[in-house]
């Protein structure tokens, strides 16, 4: 399916905050109740529409586990958007945000749009982090903020789409260098003659034309 | 003219420089066009155990900007929770040209007198293979799809040695055995080695034949590990490498075959069959390559049978290019190819010429054997590492051992997560060689240049095989006893009676469930004696 732009996202945050569940809810509209530890990266994709344009989101779900931190860091650079997730029922995941943010700022390209997400909003009774605290943190660091539930799907669409809107605006403003895929944005195959297309099936699917 | 040069340029394989568009090239263009219209025998894909199902997923793994480290989605498909991780190149070819395969096999003896396969003794094995493709992915894909089937056939061929028939075993004395071991004693080890060697040969022949019927481009190196009969057999043809990490120390399990390491073999062949050089290359080596104005002067050279240097007077034929040229990773045969063993490349021609390269390449593997069963002390941390050159070009054997040790140490030790430790270690190894993208270059954590090549790594725990094998030994012994007891009972009308746990012998005839023995169920107390009573 053709698209105008492809945006690459990463999802980061402590282990168990619900990163993989958010991705699954967004791409498959499903919830996974048991924690399947992510080792390294997983990925998913979905098409959305912004400003009448088809935009493909390619989302990299990283491992929150400390042991994988250096590998997780290596994925920041190629992303145009990041969802930084904490768990509203675990204060420590909120406390670690500063470290995550420093990491992200240090290893990503400077235009990366970061969306702060307080996940598990369905667990109101076990809340440890107030909504206002999340808002304050976001304001202080210039992030967009939302509370979501990967379980009930509340705000999940919005979180991904609002991030994309922000990226899209930055493109309109000319902030992003969209000709360098290393920044996490790719122009759709129909929209650019020089774009490398996906392997069209079969080995050595490319004929003559180089890549990169 | 330009297209000739271009196609010749694109024929350079195994290089370390990014060769843009190096793909799908098979000699003169008319030949290439014909080739292009052939069907694929196997479609391009990633290793089956990664469970990437759509073309899109496969395309995403080949993102040259992110170079994601891909690991199996479901660890439960991996034997012994073995680890695997891979990363695509930085753009030197569009597709990841490494391939890998895992196969669990079972050799079963079909004895004439037992039609029921459940009752037949059998021998399980586990196979891991990695293949580093060049000039296209066809050969590597072919090997990943077929080599294990060929090996299986070869093992079936020697099944009498691997699983001796039960009845003859019991009845015959030494002299009976010699039926299966005619003439001089041949060890199982040398038979399995032979099976691997002949499988590699057949694989290469098959690719050669398939190149006429299908689109099978390029060539590949091959590294296979076979866990069978209490031993580990590592067969290697090419520059991938297997290393055993034991007690945090590395121990090579294979030898890299490169133009540099095989200099002598290639030059000897060139000397004995100079017609293979097409009058454009020489089998001689020079300390410094002579040029036109050196003719008549004395220079240092060596013939194929020399490792040291001597003097000769330069003649015009000394101006030819040495058949093996360049040092280290840049060494090439006929100025074209950087690997000297593996499968495929049947159609490959030397750069700027029409000289076939295949005669200089071998598909013969070197096989190393590790006696897993002889040693008691295997720890959870003793692993076999198999990697393509993308790993080893940047990360040395010693460094690999360090990374593995560190990775195990820092991996959270709890029951739920333990099974991920080998995957995590494989990922750390790929990370070490892939590094991170900084500005425009991929750099290691120490700031050195990282590899821009494809990287694939297996991390296989040895102790799990040892455990499986010990369990199999017991089961097999029990099964053989059961079968031979059954045979005797059939032959002489014997009642088989099994002692039961509570000490009350059962009076009726009882079918002993051999199936449960096979499955390792604990239903049968194998220590309970079988009482054979003649009526
Ligand atoms: N009630 C509730 N549970 C959630 C929600 N999101 C995730 N969970 C649960 O939280 C646990 C962890 O979710 P994951 O998505 O696997 O966590 P993760 O952030 O991907 O963790 P790592 O992969 O280790 O980094 C799982 O048991 C989920 O079922 C949510 O919105 N509400
Ligand atoms: Mg996860």
């Amino acid at each position: 399916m053709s698209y105008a732009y492809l945006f690459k996202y990463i999802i980061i945050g402590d282990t168990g905050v619900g990163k993989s569940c958010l991705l699954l809810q967004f791409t498959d509209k499903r919830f996974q109740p048991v924690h399947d530890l992510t080792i390294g990266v997983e990925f998913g994709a979905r098409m959305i529409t912004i400003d009448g344009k088809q935009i493909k989101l390619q989302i990299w779900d990283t491992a929150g586990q400390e042991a994988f931190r250096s590998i997780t860091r290596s994925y920041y650079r190629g992303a145009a958007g990041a969802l930084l997730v904490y768990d509203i029922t675990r204060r420590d995941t909120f406390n670690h945000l500063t470290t995550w943010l420093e990491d992200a700022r240090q290893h990503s390209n400077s235009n990366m749009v970061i969306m702060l997400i307080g996940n598990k909003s369905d667990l109101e009774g076990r809340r440890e982090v107030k909504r206002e605290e999340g808002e304050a943190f976001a304001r202080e660091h210039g992030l967009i903020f939302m509370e979501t539930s990967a379980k009930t799907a509340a705000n999940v669409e919005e979180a991904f789409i609002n991030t994309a809107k922000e990226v899209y605006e930055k493109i309109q403003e000319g902030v992003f260098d969209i000709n360098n895929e290393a920044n996490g944005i790719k122009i759709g195959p129909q929209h650019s003659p020089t774009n490398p297309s996906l392997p069209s099936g079969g080995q050595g699917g490319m004929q003559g034309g180089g890549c990169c | 003219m330009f297209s000739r040069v271009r196609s010749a340029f694109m024929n350079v394989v195994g290089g370390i420089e990014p060769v843009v568009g190096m793909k799908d090239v098979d000699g003169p263009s008319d030949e290439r066009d014909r080739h292009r219209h052939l069907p694929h025998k196997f479609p391009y894909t990633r290793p089956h155990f990664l469970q990437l199902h759509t073309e899109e997923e496969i395309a995403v793994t080949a993102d040259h900007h992110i170079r994601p480290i891909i690991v199996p989605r479901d660890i439960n498909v991996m034997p012994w929770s073995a680890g695997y991780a891979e990363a695509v190149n930085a753009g030197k070819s569009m597709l990841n040209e490494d391939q890998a395969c895992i196969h669990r096999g079972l050799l079963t003896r079909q004895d004439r007198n037992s039609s029921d396969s459940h009752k037949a003794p059998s021998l399980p094995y586990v196979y891991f293979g990695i293949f580093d493709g060049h000039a296209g992915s066809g050969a590597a894909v072919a090997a990943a799809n077929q080599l294990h089937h060929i090996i299986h056939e070869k093992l079936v061929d020697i099944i009498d040695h691997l699983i001796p028939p039960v009845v003859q075993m019991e009845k015959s004395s030494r002299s009976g055995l010699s039926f299966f071991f005619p003439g001089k004693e041949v060890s199982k080890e040398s038979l399995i080695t032979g099976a691997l060697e002949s499988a590699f040969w057949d694989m290469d022949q098959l690719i050669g034949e398939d190149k006429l019927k299908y689109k099978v481009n390029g060539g590949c190196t091959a590294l296979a590990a076979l866990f069978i009969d209490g031993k580990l057999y590592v067969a290697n043809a090419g520059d991938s490498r297997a290393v055993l990490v034991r007690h945090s120390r590395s121990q090579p399990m294979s030898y890299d075959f490169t133009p540099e390491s095989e200099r002598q073999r290639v030059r000897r062949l060139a000397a004995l069959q100079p017609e293979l050089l097409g009058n454009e290359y020489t089998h001689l080596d020079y300390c410094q390559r002579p040029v036109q104005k050196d003719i008549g002067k004395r220079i240092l050279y060596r013939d194929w049978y020399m490792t040291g240097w001597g003097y000769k007077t330069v003649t015009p034929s000394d101006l030819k290019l040495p058949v093996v040229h360049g040092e280290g990773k840049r060494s090439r045969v006929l100025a074209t190819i950087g690997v000297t063993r593996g499968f495929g490349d049947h159609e490959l021609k030397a750069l700027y010429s029409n000289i076939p390269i295949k005669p200089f390449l071998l598909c013969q593997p070197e096989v190393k054997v590790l006696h897993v069963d002889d040693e008691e002390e295997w720890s959870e941390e003793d692993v076999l590492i198999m990697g393509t050159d993308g790993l080893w070009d940047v990360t040395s054997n010693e460094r690999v051992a360090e990374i593995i040790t560190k990775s195990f140490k820092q991996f959270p030790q709890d029951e739920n997560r333990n099974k991920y430790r080998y995957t995590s270690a494989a990922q750390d190894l790929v990370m070490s060689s892939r590094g991170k993208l900084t500005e425009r270059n991929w750099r290691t954590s120490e700031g050195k240049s990282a590899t821009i090549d494809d990287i694939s790594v297996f991390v296989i725990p040895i102790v799990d095989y040892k455990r499986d094998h010990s369990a199999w030994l017991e089961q097999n012994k029990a099964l053989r006893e059961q079968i031979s007891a059954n045979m005797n009972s059939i032959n002489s009308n014997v009642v088989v009676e099994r002692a039961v746990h509570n000490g009350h012998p059962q009076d009726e005839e009882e079918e002993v469930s051999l199936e449960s023995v096979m499955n390792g169920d604990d239903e049968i107390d194998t220590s309970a004696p079988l009482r054979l009573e003649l009526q």
Side-chain angles (χ1 to χ4, degrees), chain B residues 142 201-214 216 343-347 358:
Chain B
W201 177 268
D202 286 8
M203 182 74 243
D204 189 48
Q205 295 288 110
L206 181 61
I207 289 176
E209 289 161 22
D210 280 349
K211 276 179 190 267
L212 305 174
K213 291 180 271 175
Y214 301 101
V216 189
F343 306 138
D345 292 321
H346 295 75
E347 71 288 359
K358 190 66 175 168

Side-chain angles (χ1 to χ4, degrees), chain A residues 200-211:
Chain A
S200 52
Q203 61 216 43
M206 62 186 276
Q207 309 275 343
C211 71

